[in-house]
Amino acid sequence: MVHVYNCHPFCSQQIVQVEQEPGMVCCGGGALFVVATGGCKVEAYSVEREGCPLICRFATMGTVKSIQHSKIGDYLVTIEEKNNATYLRAYTNWRYQAEEKARVGVRLLGHLLRGASVRGGVQMEIIEIPLSERPLAVACCSITGDLLVGCENTLVLFTLRRQNQQSLNQSQQILQSTWPNSQQSSSQSQGQSSSSNQNVSILDFERSVILHLPKIKPKRVALCGGYVAVQAELEVLVLKLDASSEPKTRGESSETNKADHLEDQADFLVLPRHQELLGDRAKDCDIPVSIEKTGLEDRGQYTLSYVLFRRFSPDFFQGCNVEETQLHSLQLYPLFTSNQSVSLEEPACVFCFFSLPTAGYLYSLKGGVELLSAYQYPEKVLEAVLTDHLLHVITKNALQCFTVRCAAVAARIEDPYIDTTMKACPPCSLEVCALRMQLFIGLRSVCVYGRHVILLSTADTETPEETERTTQRRGLQLKEHTMLTGIFLAVGIDPATTPALESLLSRPFLSRKWTISSPKETSSAGHGWNLYVVDTVTPLTLYQEMIEYSQRYAETNPQAQSLRHLLSEAHLLLRASLLQTSGQQQNSEGDPAAPLQTDADKPAEKQTAVQTDRQELEEALGQNCAQLGDCFSRGSQNDCHLALPYYRMSGLSVTEVMARNRPHPSSPHSYGAGFLFYLKHYLLEETEQILSQEAADEVIDIFSQSEPSQLVSVCASPSMVNMSPARTLRILQHLEDTAGVSVPLTITMATMMLLLDDLPQYTQLMERHAEMLLVYGFIEESRLLLHGGGGGQHTHIRPTALTRQLAKSHPGLLVAAMVALHENNKVQLEQADHIFKELGCENCLQVDFWEAMLMASSQDAVIQELLFRLASVYIDRLTNSNSDAHANAPHTPSRRKPLKSADDLINSCSHYGGLYPWLTVLSPAHITSSQHLEALHKLQSLLCGPSLSVGSVGPLLERLSEETLWGFSLHLLCATRRGQYDRSIEKLLDRCPQAIIAYANHQLQDKNMALWWQKLLPELCNRTRAAADNSILLSALKETLVVVAMETSPTEFLELIPDDGTASYFLPHLLACSQRHLLA
């Protein structure tokens, strides 16, 4: 479907004053090139100056049959005929022909050694490009300046080369040594050259590759950044040619299709079937392509890939003339984005356009081949030209413009946030629209340069060539009718008796290969002609006209699909303009007219103008996004979500958006789904914009009318801190009466009571539900406790008024809620720490939170982090309390009692181990405070548990002295955890021998049992020998002998008895060992 809008894209037109009747035209580089009807003279006119004054004119060497201009290199390339021979020529430095009698240099491709181009490069040169086949079509790459030539069954690619003056001078010196007679004249010419010509680059071409296409005859070709397109009568083939650095074996051919070319058989006519193959599937077409590299320097090989193949089949049964089904207007169009990191030789987007007389097709080639738009023309189109903003098409009597979708593709490549909740852009599949047409008489051709559309019109109704072709076609149709009638009679069918067959045979559909016409030539005996330059309006002006036009829909039906479509068209128009202004500064370096400027201030003025235009375009884009946001805010449920990104892109504040969406008092419509979607997302996000009380109360009213179920989330938003608590409380109470009691609603109402300083009512509401249900309520709406933190762990997060109150009155509930939020990924550990610091509870509630987290968490990384933090806190508490005790502080205020005692943690958390029995023996005789004892037991419990890594807390324990018995117990625990039993036994016997048996009974078991007689028994014997009256050591020795006697054989026991030992002391134990051995 094609929408039609009465917007006029043209602002003015002028007639170019040419002396002779134009035969063909082309444009580029700010110039319009007109080839006279005779075909042997080219006139260049400036299309950027008022009146299109003549720039220069020059004669060609033959009759011009085709002419193209290259933006890169600023050269012209022509296909010319002379004496029944066809030539391909390139014209460089044509701007220096302002004086018609200026000298012209003629040279062959690759010959740069002689001529004025070597001496100064200030005269026009004609480069003869020899070909082995007759050229049929040419195309220039708008990115590299390379030249593509289409011949009968081949495509020849010529690479543009530039020779600077220094290399040419070196070549000239070689020439002078070879030709002495030329030395004098050359030196004189060099002396006359100005210094401004020393940097002139001389253009040349190098034949780089030949593509053989035996099954397709090019009618038109196109080239753009490695993409090669070929158009036949009813076929279009697009290839991608890449040059690789790997050398290619000489004589190797890159055959890309194994199909062989079948010669056409003149006796049969094969009707092609419709076919469309995109991407990798295009290689399945029946057109083989082979590569022949012809470069003089073997720099590498070329690889070829199929991109697109499209074949059309004429619809004979709709009365369509065969000639009307020919393709035309093949074009490859590049588009650059403003943030490209690649070189300018790699456009972000490449589009392919081609057209039938009744329909045009636009494809996107990069990033996946896709049909963007299909244009259905209201009448037969003769030619079409694609630009950034519009598609210009001409019929016999009109110029018409259609919108394009190139900017939609480029926007998605340029910005990864397109099609998210952050940004939006109309889809690439948006239906195209046609703008108001401009009527002319007898249009024949069209070309476009910037905002200038050049039209050639002739008033002839039919040229002599067309009359001759009509006569020939009628004769062939009669011959075909006779031949087919004979075929039917030969098989026993009389067409005269079958009306359907008779009607079929009357159609002229079998004369395709004879009736295909060559491009029309203007009659030399024309009755009238004109050459127009039609200027299109600026994109901003066309945008403003579209907006004015859209107001008609907005006034009658604000939700009309046409309004949304027209605003989307305006949006894409602005996006295309922004892309164009981004590329103007980059493209200005390649502007061929730049060296001719004499005013040094022009580049600065141009840059300022570009910046001003871009600023105006960005402002218009913001306005358009606001209008699209309005449109989608009232739209259906299917696309109401688009109101959010468009409003964001508009730069409007939420207050301004609310003002735009207030329903009229007389309007029956309420707030739109898109507006509510935008408002909910705005309130759900952690923004720094805080609404005023008036705006916040209005938001409460909006949701109380439209979505009462969202009121809890709305009230919890950080943007709503200025809302009226009394007014909001009444609305929440009404919601509770109608919808019933819920935990988040109760908490929200309690928050309102807290803001009203009504603590009794607050307490009553909080006691409605059990603590666990309240925790679930905080999980459902975490912003009742926390504001901020939506952007990750580094985002500023802050407690709410309810959180501060819970820290005072319900610390256990706050800790449980924070643990639940962490486990449900609502808050991160660092953010929770920040909250407790904000509350001033980093030494109490924060530690309680860590202990609770240790019980709840199952993430190993979090567990190890918490273990280290808790061990550090416990050590700090022990250190500080010890310092206070040594300083004899009179009385320090006691900290709040922890939520969990050491016994509670041991019973409920697997990371806290039960205290070893021998630690009770090492308990300090005097405790300075209960906090000290609690910290000691928790630290000892962590060291007794299975999870804490001793290596991580070892350096921290160095702060604790071993002088105190509790400090010694911690160091002994660490040594035992490290497996240092020998050292631990020695240190324990030195400091507290009464604990050695308890230590040995607990630690020296299983694989460590041998330490009883290998380490403990010898140590006790030695120490008892030195202190025979030490009852503690004697008792420990006796207990040790009992264990040794139980675990060893009599022989082993005898070996363990010291030589100087008293027999009567060891004999009872030896007897017990022997009796146990006999019983066993």
Side-chain angles (χ1 to χ4, degrees), residues 20-292:
Q20 297 181 350
E21 180 180 357
M24 63 183 65
V25 294
C26 78
C27 55
L32 166 64
F33 303 95
V34 181
V35 181
T37 304
C40 293
K41 179 176 286 189
V42 177
E43 294 179 344
Y45 297 87
S46 175
V47 295
E48 296 181 326
R49 296 172 60 186
E50 186 68 25
C52 297
L54 179 69
I55 299 176
C56 65
R57 61 167 57 92
F58 54 89
T60 59
M61 299 180 68
T63 303
V64 178
K65 296 299 181 182
S66 176
I67 183 169
Q68 293 286 333
H69 175 268
S70 173
K71 178 179 71 173
I72 307 301
D74 192 29
Y75 67 87
L76 288 167
V77 61
T78 62
I79 297 177
E80 303 176 11
E81 285 187 1
K82 188 174 183 180
N83 299 329
N84 296 324
T86 306
Y87 302 90
L88 181 67
R89 296 186 175 102
Y91 293 79
T92 65
N93 294 336
W94 54 269
R95 295 182 187 269
Y96 294 101
Q97 286 299 104
E99 298 180 5
E100 198 169 350
K101 297 181 180 180
R103 296 179 59 183
V104 177
V106 183
R107 60 182 174 88
L108 278 174
L109 175 78
H111 291 68
L112 297 173
L113 298 180
R114 306 189 67 178
S117 60
V118 177
R119 298 188 290 272
V122 294
Q123 72 171 19
M124 187 177 80
E125 284 192 338
I126 303 176
I127 304 174
E128 290 277 358
I129 303 177
L131 293 168
S132 59
E133 298 183 49
R134 184 170 69 92
L136 302 176
V138 293
C140 303
C141 178
S142 60
I143 301 173
T144 62
D146 294 345
L147 177 63
L148 180 67
V149 183
C151 300
E152 187 73 23
N153 293 118
T154 59
L155 299 178
V156 186
L157 178 63
F158 293 90
T159 305
L160 179 66
R161 303 296 184 194
R162 294 178 184 267
Q163 292 283 353
N164 57 30
Q165 192 65 38
Q166 182 179 0
S167 61
L168 291 175
N169 290 339
Q170 294 175 355
S171 301
Q172 180 67 13
Q173 292 175 4
I174 298 174
L175 178 66
Q176 290 172 359
S177 62
T178 307
W179 301 92
N181 294 334
S182 65
Q183 183 172 359
Q184 182 177 358
S185 61
S186 176
S187 61
Q188 292 175 354
S189 299
Q190 289 180 2
Q192 297 171 356
S193 298
S194 64
S195 59
S196 62
N197 294 327
Q198 295 304 312
N199 295 325
V200 173
S201 296
I202 308 304
L203 302 183
D204 195 28
F205 299 91
E206 178 185 348
R207 193 191 318 261
S208 59
V209 68
I210 297 178
L211 302 179
H212 293 274
L213 298 86
K215 296 186 66 175
I216 188 170
K217 182 178 180 180
K219 295 292 184 182
R220 189 160 181 171
V221 294
L223 177 65
C224 179
Y227 287 90
V228 176
V230 189
Q231 172 189 298
E233 294 173 0
L234 289 174
E235 297 168 328
V236 172
L237 176 65
V238 181
L239 307 168
K240 183 68 167 68
L241 194 62
D242 294 305
S244 61
S245 57
E246 299 179 0
K248 178 182 176 181
T249 306
R250 185 172 297 275
E252 181 183 354
S253 176
S254 301
E255 191 72 28
T256 60
N257 197 312
K258 57 183 176 295
D260 297 327
H261 173 52
L262 299 177
E263 295 183 357
D264 293 335
Q265 300 182 21
D267 295 336
F268 297 96
L269 181 66
V270 179
L271 301 180
R273 62 183 178 88
H274 181 84
Q275 196 173 19
E276 181 186 40
L277 301 174
L278 307 180
D280 294 336
R281 294 182 57 222
K283 66 178 180 295
D284 298 330
C285 68
D286 56 355
I287 299 179
V289 183
S290 59
I291 299 178
E292 176 187 348

Side-chain angles (χ1 to χ4, degrees), residues 1037-1046 1053 1057 1063-1075:
L1037 177 60
K1038 189 175 297 183
E1039 294 288 340
T1040 302
L1041 287 174
V1042 172
V1043 174
V1044 171
M1046 292 291 294
F1053 189 86
I1057 298 175
S1064 60
Y1065 187 83
F1066 291 98
L1067 187 59
H1069 300 288
L1070 177 61
L1071 181 61
C1073 178
S1074 300
Q1075 291 175 349

